[in-house]
């Protein structure tokens, strides 16, 4: 999923449980897919660009193109990230929803568990050109292991480290950091006179989890054990969360005000020269919208403890991205599959991913030279070499909420000047474990 607009949902567990026992989505509750409305489709698209209107300008002509090719009219609705998961969950319980929709790939297993989405079995994959067209890493975030995917990859994303070239030069920093030690050292050189080394979205639950997940992976730690039970208080998980919060609490390279950020404020701070570095997914279009020239910033892989990302499978990003799904009881099953085939076709993949600065999950489209410029090359190589999917379990969405909130509270403690210790981190994560058990 794209973290800059990711949803946070209160009572998420209750909603998912209700959805799991509900009738599924689509336009007619309680029925399997049909072709009763063969000339129309409804498509819920996620907000990928700087704003909803930008998405409409990108996607509108493509909907017309599909209509000319197939005779099927697509009703497009672009939904902001803070609303998307709530809308999807409401559709799974009511049965009143779209035919085709975008989902954050981290939600795949959670939404799969509701039974509302069309499984992408061999027959359905064959209808869109085959499973082998898609890059294996992208397919790893489409649902629980051992089950047919709940969705098909549409846009692939990973994290990168963006840095302000002028701020680095003025601070005498000769090269961008490759390790966390180098990042902290660079951040301390910059953090003075109202400027800060690193930006963060401390109030953004999904972003918090993404960063902690990667730091945990770099320690050989997962947030769940082999049986799928929460292991939030393991030494590796605690150390990962503590390291992330310490960028503010101990290292003093994140501004205290970032504890309340949750709506892209860290990107605006970066674009306006108040922050020298930010960890983000495909940020080029957002920087441009905020008036920053491409020549003003550089991009490198997210740091690792030592060495280089990817060497020895060193994880330095969660596997982010957007999947496209079909509600199981759509009234235009054939049309929905044609539409997914259109969106994941080589030409459309090149066009849409160029527009959004993301990486095509379709292998043929990924080879386009447009994805070989510096920023997209870093994202593409991270996707291929060193990204890992978040746990593909039904409780994944609850994991993001509970652990993300724990980290948010720890950032609030740091901003208020309260000590953040190993014990306090472990206590917050123990509360998150208890929430998961309810």
């Amino acid at each position: 999923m794209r973290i800059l607009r990711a949803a946070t949902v209160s009572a998420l567990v209750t909603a998912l449980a209700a959805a799991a026992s509900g009738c599924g989505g689509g336009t007619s509750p309680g029925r399997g897919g049909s072709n009763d409305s063969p000339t129309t489709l409804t498509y819920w698209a996620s907000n990928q660009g700087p704003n909803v209107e930008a998405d409409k300008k990108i996607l509108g002509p493509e909907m017309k193109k599909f209509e000319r090719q197939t005779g099927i009219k697509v009703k497009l609705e672009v939904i902001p990230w803070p609303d998307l998961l709530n809308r999807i969950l409401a559709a799974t319980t009511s049965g009143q929803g779209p035919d085709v929709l975008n989902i954050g790939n981290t939600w795949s297993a959670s939404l799969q568990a509701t039974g509302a989405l069309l499984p992408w079995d061999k027959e359905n994959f064959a209808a869109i050109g085959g499973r082998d067209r898609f890059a294996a890493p992208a397919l790893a975030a489409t649902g629980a292991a051992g089950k047919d995917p709940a969705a098909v990859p549409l846009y692939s994303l990973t994290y990168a480290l963006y840095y302000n070239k002028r701020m680095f030069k003025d601070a005498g920093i000769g090269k961008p950091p490759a390790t966390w030690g180098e990042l902290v050292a660079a951040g301390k050189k910059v953090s003075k006179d109202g400027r800060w080394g690193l930006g963060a979205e401390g109030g953004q639950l999904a972003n918090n989890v993404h960063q902690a997940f990667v730091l945990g992976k770099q320690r050989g730690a997962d947030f769940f054990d082999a049986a799928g039970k929460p292991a939030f208080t393991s030494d590796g998980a605690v150390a990962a969360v503590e390291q992330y919060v310490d960028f503010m609490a101990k290292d003093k390279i994140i501004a205290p005000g970032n504890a309340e950020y949750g709506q892209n404020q860290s990107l605006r701070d970066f674009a306006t020269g108040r922050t020298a570095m930010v960890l983000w997914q495909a940020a080029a279009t957002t920087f441009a919208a905020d008036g920053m020239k491409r020549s003003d910033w550089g991009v490198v892989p997210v740091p690792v403890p030592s060495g280089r990302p990817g060497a020895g499978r060193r994880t330095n990003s969660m596997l982010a991205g957007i999947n496209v799904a079909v509600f199981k009881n759509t009234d235009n099953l054939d049309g929905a599959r044609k539409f997914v085939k259109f969106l994941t076709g080589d030409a459309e993949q090149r066009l849409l991913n160029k527009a959004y600065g993301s990486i095509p999950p379709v292998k043929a489209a990924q080879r386009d030279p447009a994805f070989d410029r510096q920023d997209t090359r870093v994202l593409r190589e991270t996707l291929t070499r060193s990204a890992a999917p978040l746990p593909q379990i039904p409780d994944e969405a609850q994991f993001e909420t509970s652990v993300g909130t724990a980290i948010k509270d720890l950032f609030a403690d740091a901003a208020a000047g309260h000590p953040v210790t190993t014990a306090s981190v472990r206590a917050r994560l123990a509360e998150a474990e208890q929430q998961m058990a309810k």
Side-chain angles (χ1 to χ4, degrees):
M1 66 186 289
R2 214 184 169 101
I3 55 93
L4 54 157
R5 301 169 191 88
T8 57
V9 183
S10 61
L12 181 59
V13 183
T14 302
L16 281 172
S21 61
C23 57
T27 54
S28 299
R31 298 175 46 217
S34 71
N35 291 303
D36 294 345
S37 300
T39 60
T40 60
L41 285 173
T42 300
Y43 177 39
W44 284 359
S46 54
N47 177 201
Q48 296 301 118
N51 51 60
V52 168
E53 290 306 314
D55 281 295
K56 290 179 180 178
K57 288 180 180 179
I58 292 169
L59 295 174
E62 304 314 300
M63 303 302 99
K64 293 294 186 182
K65 183 191 300 182
F66 177 74
E67 183 177 359
R68 290 195 298 271
Q69 292 178 4
T70 65
I72 299 172
K73 185 174 182 178
V74 179
K75 180 182 177 182
L76 169 69
E77 183 177 358
V78 180
I79 302 177
W81 275 104
D83 302 327
L84 184 57
L85 186 54
N86 275 332
R87 293 280 301 275
I88 295 171
L89 293 175
T92 63
T93 55
S94 70
Q96 302 299 314
D99 301 286
V100 182
L101 72 158
N102 289 171
I103 64 173
N105 66 358
T106 63
W107 305 338
S108 295
S110 296
L111 293 174
Q112 183 180 50
T114 71
L117 302 182
L118 180 75
W120 286 87
D121 55 18
K122 186 175 181 180
E123 177 185 353
N124 286 326
F125 262 118
I128 63 170
R131 182 183 181 125
D132 291 344
R133 296 180 58 246
F134 297 89
L139 288 169
T142 54
K147 295 185 177 181
D148 291 323
V152 174
L154 184 62
Y155 312 126
S156 288
L157 294 159
T158 64
Y159 281 86
L161 176 67
Y162 295 85
Y163 64 96
N164 184 303
K165 292 180 179 179
R166 173 57 64 88
M167 292 177 74
F168 267 40
K169 182 179 180 181
D170 290 347
I173 302 169
K175 62 178 182 178
T179 68
W180 291 116
E182 291 174 357
L183 180 142
V184 171
K188 287 181 176 180
K189 287 183 178 181
V190 173
S191 297
K192 57 184 178 181
D193 301 327
R195 296 183 176 184
W196 293 87
L198 181 67
E201 300 273 323
Q204 222 286 1
L205 307 191
N207 189 20
N208 288 341
V209 167
H210 297 173
Q211 308 301 341
F213 170 78
V214 169
L215 292 170
K217 281 288 189 182
Q218 291 179 353
R219 288 175 164 78
D222 283 308
F223 282 80
F224 292 85
D225 64 20
K229 295 182 179 179
F232 304 163
T233 56
S234 70
D235 289 346
V238 170
V241 171
E242 187 173 6
Q243 179 184 351
Y244 185 47
V245 178
D246 269 350
F247 291 144
M248 178 186 293
K250 177 182 176 183
D251 303 316
K252 310 294 185 184
I253 63 173
I254 296 177
N258 283 204
E260 299 180 1
Y261 281 7
Q263 296 292 330
N264 302 0
Q265 294 98 318
S266 63
L267 293 189
R268 286 189 285 276
D269 284 354
F270 180 86
T272 54
R274 290 193 289 269
T275 302
M277 295 177 284
V278 66
L279 298 163
W280 213 260
Q281 305 168 18
T285 56
T286 303
F287 294 155
D290 285 332
M292 194 177 196
K293 297 178 181 178
R294 186 177 292 274
S295 59
D296 292 339
W297 52 267
V299 59
V300 292
V302 172
V304 292
S306 63
R308 296 181 298 103
R313 193 60 190 174
R314 287 192 179 93
T315 300
N316 69 335
S317 176
M318 55 81 66
L319 180 64
I322 305 302
N323 294 340
V324 59
V326 173
F327 267 116
K328 186 186 291 184
N329 64 350
T330 172
D331 278 346
N332 191 355
L333 178 59
D334 289 346
R337 288 189 296 200
K338 287 179 182 178
F339 187 53
V340 173
K341 183 177 182 179
F342 169 78
L343 291 175
T344 60
D346 294 355
E348 202 66 16
Q349 279 283 289
R350 288 191 291 268
L351 185 153
L352 293 175
N353 283 280
K354 284 179 189 177
Y356 290 128
S358 48
I359 304 300
V362 172
K363 290 182 283 189
Q366 202 176 99
R367 293 191 286 268
D368 189 289
F371 304 104
D372 201 37
R373 69 172 195 248
Q374 184 194 13
D375 58 325
T376 51
R377 187 187 317 121
V378 169
L379 299 178
R380 187 191 66 209
E381 291 179 354
T382 298
L383 174 71
T384 304
R385 300 176 183 176
S386 54
L390 287 176
Q392 293 291 297
I393 57 173
D395 290 337
E396 193 285 325
Q398 187 184 356
F399 162 55
E400 290 193 21
T401 302
S402 59
V403 174
T405 299
I407 298 172
K408 175 184 176 181
D409 292 342
L410 288 163
F411 270 124
D413 289 343
H418 301 315
V420 174
T421 65
T422 301
S424 66
V425 172
R426 194 180 301 275
R428 293 284 189 185
L429 292 175
E431 292 176 4
E433 270 193 352
Q434 293 171 2
Q435 292 171 7
M436 289 285 291
K438 290 180 181 179

